[in-house]
Amino acid sequence: MPGVFFKSVSIATILVGATFAAVAADVVVDQKDKQFSTTELTVKVGDTVKFQNNDSVSHNLFSLSDTMTFDLGTFPNGESREVQFEQPGVVDVECAIHPTMKLKIAIEE
Ligand SMILES: [Cu+2]
């Protein structure tokens, strides 16, 4: 039955697409010269932000915001960490090693 064959192919295509979307970061924020590449960012609920370290030093990003708390630990040049934001609100991202680093992320529905 050719109809069944084509139906199977379509479902497989949809599954591959969904997996790719879940892995890819929606926004990339660089860290260089002990600064974030931007000080403010707006994302949608469900978006993933990738924090890329392109600096000569390590960073330890964290947030103590009511909307979301996290601690990404220390990661060196060339590495990255990803965070998915699942609630609307505002999240202040800081670096435990460099207190002058500040990034405000607004998460919208
Ligand atoms: Cu830092």
Side-chain angles (χ1 to χ4, degrees):
M1 289 198 3
V4 172
F5 173 75
F6 284 116
K7 197 170 186 179
S8 305
V9 170
S10 313
I11 291 169
T13 305
I14 291 164
L15 288 175
V16 168
T19 304
F20 179 75
V23 170
D26 297 292
V27 183
V28 178
V29 175
D30 278 348
Q31 298 153 80
K32 205 174 180 189
D33 300 326
K34 297 176 188 172
Q35 288 181 332
F36 292 106
S37 55
T38 183
T39 55
E40 289 187 349
L41 190 65
T42 301
V43 300
K44 298 264 184 219
V45 169
D47 278 358
T48 298
V49 176
K50 180 180 184 179
F51 297 98
Q52 177 72 44
N53 187 348
N54 286 320
D55 216 335
S56 54
V57 296
S58 295
H59 296 293
N60 181 354
L61 305 185
F62 70 96
S63 174
L64 298 175
S65 302
D66 290 339
T67 303
M68 186 179 185
T69 62
F70 59 80
D71 183 353
L72 303 184
T74 304
F75 58 106
N77 172 280
E79 288 195 15
S80 63
R81 297 289 184 271
E82 294 189 6
V83 177
Q84 185 174 24
F85 295 92
E86 292 172 338
Q87 276 192 68
V90 176
V91 170
D92 290 302
V93 185
E94 302 172 69
C95 177
I97 304 168
H98 310 104
T100 54
M101 292 175 66
K102 306 267 184 203
L103 168 63
K104 189 178 283 287
I105 302 179
I107 303 112
E108 297 180 342
E109 288 191 88

